[in-house]
Amino acid sequence: MTRLVNDPVEFSAELVDGFIQANTRYVRPVYGGVVRSTETKPGKVAIVTGGGLGHYPGFMGWVGPGLVDGAVTGKVFASPAASQVHSVAKAADHGGGILLAYLNYAGDMLQFGMAGELLKADGFDVRNAAVTDDVASAPVEETDKRRGIAGGLAVLKVTSAAAEAGMTLDQVTAVCQRANDRTRTCGIAFSGCTLPGADEPLFEVTEGKMAVGLGVHGEPGIYETDLGTADDVAQLLVDTLMNEVPQGAGTRVVAMLNGLGSAKYEELFVTFTSVTSKLRDAGLDVVDGQVGEFMTSLDMGGLSLTLMWLDDDLETLWFAPCDSAAYSRPALQDPPLDASVTFNTEPEPLTVQQEGSASSRAAAALIADALERVRDVLNANESMLGDLDAVAGDGDHGAGMARGSTAAAQAARELVAEGAGAQTTLAGAGARWTEHSGGASGALWGAALTAAGNSLGDDRDVDNAAAVAAVQAFVDSVITLGKANVGDKTIVDALVPFTQAFGTAVESSGDVSQAWQTAAAASEEAAAGTEALVPRMGRARVLGERSVGSPDPGAVSFAMAAKAAGVATD
Ligand code: ADP
Ligand code: MG
């Protein structure tokens, strides 16, 4: 849906105006579109592009040094008029001739073609070139019937660099044609786009399906198929383009994954992981990757993959510096790091430096058992804890606790098998909890487990006093790190009663397991009691009042974990 609209009739003019106001560093208005607002070398070939609006950053986003000289702005999904192309080209001219380069659509071909004639009549040296990268729009024997889509940026980038390098109009035109011959795009859509002021999308894609071979003007795909995973989508795109390898193209490619309007960058990056590995499997060398929005179609859901097969000259032109509102490539100042420089991409492995004492190893084994029970209860309650966190927080508490406790239990089990004592086991479990959980609770649980471990040591007897001290160290570290007090509606409200009850019960009964049960019951009651409180710490503070009537998720999960930890398996 296109929501922010004044008068739909004025939408096109208003969007161009807003773009110009935001980008005076790059563009100045001229009748029909925009031209560079910076000085350009006299005698340079001028590259003029353009088309309908609704495709930002295509086309006005690319006006600037090293890229195009002028962009003609039509109306949303409507090609500009020949008179507008004529006006923009005249303003963009620097005396070196003009290349009109645009995407292959009937309207654009006619208008830019007519403008070429007008410019020639004025005495300009003019060439016309159309980008035809869309493999779905016509068979390979009829390449000249193919539409131009996101590959337009790749073609314009190298063409503009050729002009910037001082090539003649004929040379620049030849680069444009060679780049176009070596550029292929395949796109898919999950949902259509809506014109400003319209209530309905131009087309719809069946839920769970994808339309393969869409056009960027809301043309539906050529066929529908099941959507599948990001990996499946990558496979389809790569397979389609690998059927289309240009003759004598070599193996070096630029790969551009383009979001069509409402695909998220996160989704694009996930897909790009699959794309690059499949391209490598297909024997290609991905010299450069580009992920983002390069040619959109209003709010269309979907993406396209473009490959431009490089030769030596195209590679130099591709990496040449450029600067524009939407696409920049800085001149490289620093050389790339030597290939011999490597970084750890995995966390430090957990190791047992020194075997624990028998007593400490026995305690570590009990801790590993307890962490597995904690893992089970937190995983079983993941969605309930998530719902509690969604009341005033971000809804991730269940997922974070499940991930954290799962990783912690596994780490503890492995360390125990290697002869770790209590300290090493808890430190390893804490480290993995924090790494896998993320969020406030992950940091607190990791620090608290580590602190409890430090208190127990690897070679001391784990007696009643040591257990009480370890629990105290756990709570102290949460308070020191999180700075919450009792009553702030956090985990501390369940922790403090637990610690107090545990200390008292151990002292009176001398039975640690019994005392743990008593403490867990006190903690559960205190956690439930947090529902009356207004949060004063953490994410929930912002929407404080909303959480009254619902207990604190971190307090509830602690009580739940404490209870499970205390229930022995035998
Ligand atoms: P995030 O808030 O980063 O999304 P979680 O949702 O996993 O993290 O955990 C939220 C819980 O963390 C809260 O319910 C609260 O119990 C606890 N918490 C947040 N901040 C603090 C703090 N400063 N001190 C103690 N506990 C806190
Ligand atoms: Mg949260």
Side-chain angles (χ1 to χ4, degrees):
M1 194 62 194
T2 302
R3 293 185 181 80
L4 300 176
V5 182
N6 297 316
D7 177 354
V9 175
E10 297 301 323
F11 190 86
S12 296
E14 287 178 2
L15 97 86
V16 174
D17 192 32
F19 170 78
I20 293 166
Q21 299 202 36
N23 291 289
T24 50
R25 210 181 119 208
Y26 296 108
V27 295
R28 278 205 192 170
V30 55
Y31 172 67
V34 292
V35 290
R36 290 188 193 177
S37 64
T38 46
E39 295 270 352
T40 302
K41 253 185 282 169
K44 186 188 93 69
V45 171
I47 311 296
V48 174
T49 187
L53 293 169
H55 307 300
Y56 191 82
F59 301 89
M60 58 192 176
W62 303 328
V63 176
L67 261 171
V68 307
D69 298 87
V72 196
T73 54
K75 293 202 174 352
V76 171
F77 290 178
S79 58
S83 59
Q84 295 170 325
V85 180
H86 182 227
S87 156
V88 173
K90 277 201 305 185
D93 174 65
H94 312 293
I98 300 166
L99 175 63
L100 301 176
Y102 39 89
L103 307 184
N104 192 24
Y105 292 93
D108 294 294
M109 294 297 283
L110 291 173
Q111 303 288 355
F112 277 85
M114 210 188 297
E117 297 309 317
L118 294 173
L119 289 162
K120 280 178 200 158
D122 289 343
F124 291 100
D125 199 4
V126 184
R127 303 284 182 281
N128 286 55
V131 177
T132 56
D133 59 317
D134 179 11
V135 300
S137 51
V140 71
E141 312 79 59
E142 297 177 275
T143 320
D144 58 336
K145 296 214 174 92
R146 287 182 167 180
R147 300 179 293 212
I149 48 178
L153 171 60
V155 173
L156 285 169
K157 167 68 187 75
V158 293
T159 304
S160 303
E164 209 75 39
M167 291 189 196
T168 64
L169 181 57
D170 283 331
Q171 289 168 328
V172 170
T173 308
V175 166
C176 185
Q177 274 153 2
R178 195 160 86 252
N180 184 50
D181 288 345
R182 289 171 158 262
T183 302
R184 306 273 194 273
T185 301
C186 177
I188 59 158
F190 327 122
S191 61
C193 52
T194 313
L195 290 168
D199 301 325
E200 298 287 325
L202 283 174
F203 71 96
E204 282 178 272
V205 182
T206 318
E207 189 64 32
K209 301 270 179 190
M210 59 181 169
V212 181
L214 71 146
V216 287
H217 296 91
E219 302 93 331
I222 310 294
Y223 68 94
E224 269 192 12
T225 183
D226 289 341
L227 176 52
T229 60
D231 212 27
D232 297 335
V233 168
Q235 189 72 59
L236 181 133
L237 296 174
V238 168
D239 286 349
T240 307
L241 295 183
M242 288 312 291
N243 277 334
E244 286 272 347
V245 179
Q247 287 246 306
T251 56
R252 294 166 73 70
V253 292
V254 171
M256 279 176 50
L257 197 64
N258 169 56
L260 280 162
S262 61
K264 290 187 281 302
Y265 273 69
E266 288 79 356
E267 296 172 287
L268 294 175
F269 285 125
V270 166
T271 310
F272 199 63
T273 305
S274 307
V275 165
T276 47
S277 87
K278 290 175 199 314
L279 289 175
R280 267 187 227 111
D281 290 349
L284 294 186
D285 179 4
V286 181
V287 177
D288 195 30
Q290 299 283 315
V291 177
E293 291 190 335
F294 305 109
M295 180 68 77
T296 61
S297 189
L298 291 171
D299 58 336
M300 194 190 290
L303 75 172
S304 65
L305 175 65
T306 298
L307 295 181
M308 179 164 69
W309 276 263
L310 299 172
D311 57 24
D312 290 349
D313 292 341
L314 290 179
E315 187 165 336
T316 306
L317 295 169
W318 172 256
F319 284 110
C322 66
D323 191 20
S324 67
Y327 192 80
S328 295
R329 181 175 281 283
L332 272 189
Q333 307 265 322
D334 300 321
L337 281 179
D338 192 89
S340 64
V341 180
T342 55
F343 300 100
N344 279 344
T345 53
E346 299 292 328
E348 288 290 326
L350 299 175
T351 52
V352 180
Q353 303 289 351
Q354 211 175 351
E355 204 170 81
S357 66
S359 162
S360 194
R361 276 188 283 138
L366 293 176
I367 288 166
D369 292 344
L371 280 171
E372 286 177 353
R373 293 193 296 275
V374 169
R375 170 199 66 197
D376 292 344
V377 75
L378 291 176
N379 277 277
N381 287 281
E382 179 179 335
S383 65
M384 182 275 275
L385 293 170
D387 292 346
L388 274 187
D389 190 29
V391 173
D394 55 357
D396 66 347
H397 186 64
M401 293 296 281
R403 280 197 307 268
S405 60
T406 302
Q410 190 186 334
R413 183 58 66 208
E414 286 166 12
L415 288 164
V416 164
E418 289 173 38
Q423 178 171 10
T424 301
T425 302
L426 280 166
R432 290 292 184 263
W433 191 308
T434 301
E435 282 160 14
H436 288 261
S437 156
S441 63
L444 296 170
W445 269 85
L449 290 171
T450 306
N454 291 344
S455 161
L456 289 171
D458 272 333
D459 52 11
R460 294 199 284 280
D461 281 352
V462 182
D463 55 14
N464 289 4
V468 171
V471 167
Q472 189 64 51
F474 188 103
V475 64
D476 286 349
S477 101
V478 170
I479 291 170
T480 308
L481 187 62
K483 300 190 173 53
N485 296 309
V486 170
D488 286 346
K489 194 163 187 169
T490 70
I491 185 173
V492 171
D493 290 317
L495 259 178
V496 168
F498 179 89
T499 313
Q500 284 167 352
F502 184 63
T504 312
V506 169
E507 203 169 310
S508 62
S509 73
D511 180 341
V512 167
S513 325
Q514 194 54 52
W516 190 282
Q517 298 295 340
T518 308
S523 175
E524 197 170 17
E525 197 178 319
T530 59
E531 69 170 28
L533 301 174
V534 178
R536 290 198 293 255
M537 297 295 276
R539 233 186 260 284
R541 185 179 52 81
V542 185
L543 300 172
E545 294 295 338
R546 194 187 285 182
S547 95
V548 174
S550 169
D552 175 61
V556 170
S557 63
F558 172 77
M560 194 177 267
K563 188 170 171 186
V567 179
T569 39
D570 53 5

